[in-house]
Amino acid sequence: MISGGDTKPRTMYDVIVVGAGFGGLAAAKILGKHASVLLIDRHNYHCFTPLLYQVATAGLEPEEIAQPVRRILSGNTFFLLAEVTKVDLAARKVITPEREIPYLYLILAPGSVTNYFGLRSVEEQAFGLKDLQEAVVLRNHILRQFEKATVEGDEQSRAAMLTFVIVGGGPTGVEMAGAVSELVAVLKRRDYRGVGLEDVRVILLEAADRLLLPFRPALSDTALQALRGKGVEVVLGAKLADATRGSVQLADGRVIHSHTVIWAAGVLGSPIQLEPEVLRRQSARIPVQPTLQLPDYPEVYIVGDLAFLEDDQGSPLPMMAPVAMEQGKAAAENILNDMKGKSLQPFRHRKRGMMATIGRTKAVAQIGFLSLRGFAAWVVWLVAHLMWLIGFRNKLIVLLAWAWDYFLYDRSIRVITDDEE
Ligand SMILES: Cc1cc2nc3c(=O)[nH]c(=O)nc-3n(C[C@H](O)[C@H](O)[C@H](O)COP(=O)(O)OP(=O)(O)OC[C@H]3O[C@@H](n4cnc5c(N)ncnc54)[C@H](O)[C@@H]3O)c2cc1C
């Protein structure tokens, strides 16, 4: 086993981990105590994706939901800021634009990318929400629409500027719709009083016949009522077919004039290139063995959104942070078992439940047989997310930001930080 300090890059590591997200970080934290580890990510930070929508709606600063990877890591772990362009499975090398790095074991945890379901026009026009940059771009865009609308003379153009369409009624879309409607309320009340912005519309489109499909129907109904109570127009059975600059078209021919289409309708496993190519299943995820090993390549483990594994009932494990973290830990433990000549353990997912907020003080949560709603669910959501967030400083700042918002009905980060789009 290679050993030594973690300050200078080496030519060989026991384990390379690709991706410092939920899965990769969980694995690196365990492995770094026992082996030499190289963690590679194209960003120098770990991003807490469940709160990205709050950055996009001026509730939190980007730095408050991110943590530099080097600050989190300890032990015998080296970090490399690089984009992995290819993995040569036969030669056992990870390839970046600058170097080829051999590995003894590899953990692939590059997550997922936005799935536009082949709708090219929508991909070009819509705003995604997968990383900090996208969240900041979206925040700037939303705020700019209000500035533009105040000086726009043409009624139809003005209406399109003030119409915000969110596509996808899963947890991300529901949280986004609730947060946009609250940002709109703050902007109307504090920044644009008397400017006549009564005609702002927030529209949530969902292709299925109910929101929050993985939740119990009663909770879906609670979310629907709560959003409608906030003035969000929820359109069920609405499938997006096309988008142009300034409008979207539904499959049934309906057209909505809007300059803001936020896509929250699904993800695909990372398109990271593996050579030779391997089989991909549903949502472009790569099937793994119960031990999380890649078939035919026992030294390669895949965890998180990219891994395709079914539970005991034959349903694919969800693309969620807890699954990724548990798999990261399980893969790390299996690698350590293998190093010690012990047998590998199959991965078992412990279902902990699901939650979604619908703006301040309202949420739905499904935990085992329990269905929680309203303020109680919101408190559970708040505590869980604070515990989950990495770094004491971030926890404290986020708690203060939420308290500020809760007591003063204010979102203080209403700054546009880029130039005209
Ligand atoms: C907006 C949003 C909200 C969400 N909300 C929730 C929620 O409330 N609850 C929940 O459980 N889940 C939520 N999820 C899902 C959750 O974020 C994912 O399931 C989880 O992040 C998957 O973990 P992962 O380790 O597989 O990938 P990630 O956490 O996405 O990490 C992947 C890492 O790999 C890096 N990377 C990717 N490709 C490369 C490359 N080629 N080279 C180098 N680095 C690379 C990325 O920079 C990233 O740091 C949400 C996702 C989004 C987008």
Side-chain angles (χ1 to χ4, degrees):
M1 187 187 296
I2 301 163
S3 61
D6 65 350
T7 50
K8 286 216 178 83
R10 308 146 179 252
T11 49
M12 182 78 181
Y13 295 84
D14 295 329
V15 191
I16 293 184
V17 180
V18 177
F22 287 97
L25 207 55
K29 278 186 188 168
I30 293 177
L31 287 164
K33 294 179 194 153
H34 308 277
S36 65
V37 181
L38 178 67
L39 176 59
I40 308 177
D41 201 294
R42 59 180 167 213
H43 299 127
N44 81 330
Y45 56 81
H46 167 81
C47 176
F48 189 74
T49 44
L51 292 180
L52 268 178
Y53 78 95
Q54 296 211 2
V55 174
T57 53
L60 294 172
E61 295 275 16
E63 292 79 6
E64 291 163 5
I65 65 157
Q67 190 71 221
V69 177
R70 286 179 185 276
R71 190 161 169 197
I72 305 167
L73 294 178
S74 59
N76 203 5
T77 310
F78 185 80
F79 174 68
L80 178 67
L81 178 66
E83 170 99 28
V84 172
T85 48
K86 193 161 93 178
V87 176
D88 188 334
L89 295 169
R92 298 188 182 187
K93 280 181 186 169
V94 166
I95 298 165
T96 74
E98 291 82 25
R99 40 180 73 83
E100 294 188 359
I101 317 161
Y103 58 82
L104 295 178
Y105 294 92
L106 173 67
I107 297 184
L108 280 177
S112 51
V113 293
T114 307
N115 182 6
Y116 290 97
F117 299 96
L119 297 168
R120 291 299 297 272
S121 61
V122 177
E123 185 170 351
E124 279 160 20
Q125 300 299 329
F127 290 85
L129 191 62
K130 272 301 280 176
D131 58 31
L132 284 183
Q133 287 98 320
E134 287 189 338
V136 174
V137 166
L138 181 53
R139 180 185 78 191
N140 286 332
H141 172 84
I142 293 174
L143 296 174
R144 185 172 284 110
Q145 295 314 298
F146 283 84
E147 291 301 331
K148 285 183 167 179
T150 57
V151 290
E152 177 59 57
D154 179 66
E155 271 307 305
Q156 202 178 331
S157 302
R158 194 165 165 280
M161 286 168 186
L162 295 176
T163 299
F164 301 92
V165 178
I166 297 123
V167 188
T172 304
V174 164
E175 293 188 335
M176 191 70 200
V180 172
S181 74
E182 288 184 350
L183 173 63
V184 166
V186 171
L187 292 174
K188 282 201 311 201
R189 197 175 52 246
R190 290 193 175 247
D191 294 351
Y192 299 96
R193 259 181 306 171
V195 187
L197 297 185
E198 291 73 27
D199 41 0
V200 182
R201 296 174 73 195
V202 181
I203 304 173
L204 176 61
L205 304 177
E206 165 55 47
D209 59 0
R210 68 178 175 97
L211 298 174
L212 299 177
L213 267 188
F215 289 65
R216 290 181 194 117
L219 292 178
S220 301
D221 199 46
T222 304
L224 177 70
Q225 302 311 331
L227 283 175
R228 288 190 169 151
K230 285 180 177 298
V232 177
E233 298 171 41
V234 181
V235 190
L236 299 172
K239 221 171 158 192
L240 200 64
D242 195 9
T244 57
R245 204 172 158 79
S247 72
V248 290
Q249 192 176 339
L250 306 189
D252 62 11
R254 275 180 286 177
V255 173
I256 303 170
H257 294 286
S258 166
H259 285 292
T260 313
V261 182
I262 304 166
W263 188 260
V267 290
L268 287 175
S270 158
I272 194 162
Q273 191 192 344
L274 305 188
E275 201 178 280
E277 248 182 69
V278 299
L279 175 79
R280 296 223 180 204
R281 290 275 304 270
Q282 196 181 323
S283 304
R285 299 166 86 185
I286 299 177
V288 291
Q289 292 176 345
T291 50
L292 302 172
Q293 288 164 298
L294 180 62
D296 301 328
Y297 299 94
E299 68 285 358
V300 178
Y301 292 72
I302 302 183
V303 304
D305 283 1
L306 182 59
F308 180 90
L309 189 65
E310 290 169 344
D311 63 17
D312 296 339
Q313 284 77 48
S315 308
L317 292 176
M319 292 159 107
M320 288 179 74
V323 176
M325 286 191 281
E326 287 170 19
Q327 289 187 337
K329 282 184 201 158
E333 278 157 13
N334 270 346
I335 288 177
L336 295 175
N337 282 341
D338 197 46
M339 284 174 168
K340 291 176 197 154
K342 291 185 181 172
S343 58
L344 307 191
Q345 299 302 313
F347 173 73
R348 290 255 175 278
H349 170 54
R350 283 183 315 169
K351 279 189 187 160
R352 293 203 190 112
M354 299 176 281
M355 290 174 247
T357 45
I358 312 140
R360 65 197 299 281
T361 74
K362 284 200 174 73
V364 288
Q366 182 172 310
I367 304 162
F369 294 110
L370 262 182
S371 291
L372 295 176
R373 310 174 158 76
F375 189 70
W378 182 71
V379 172
V380 172
W381 177 92
L382 189 139
V383 172
H385 281 69
L386 274 181
M387 282 168 51
W388 218 1
L389 197 62
I390 296 178
F392 179 72
R393 185 174 174 274
N394 278 2
K395 288 181 204 281
L396 192 65
I397 295 174
V398 167
L399 183 63
L400 283 175
W402 286 345
W404 184 273
D405 182 15
Y406 181 79
F407 289 112
L408 302 178
Y409 289 82
D410 189 14
R411 286 178 178 236
S412 48
I413 312 155
R414 306 195 295 273
V415 288
I416 299 172
T417 55
D418 64 4
D419 295 332
E420 180 70 39
E421 291 155 22

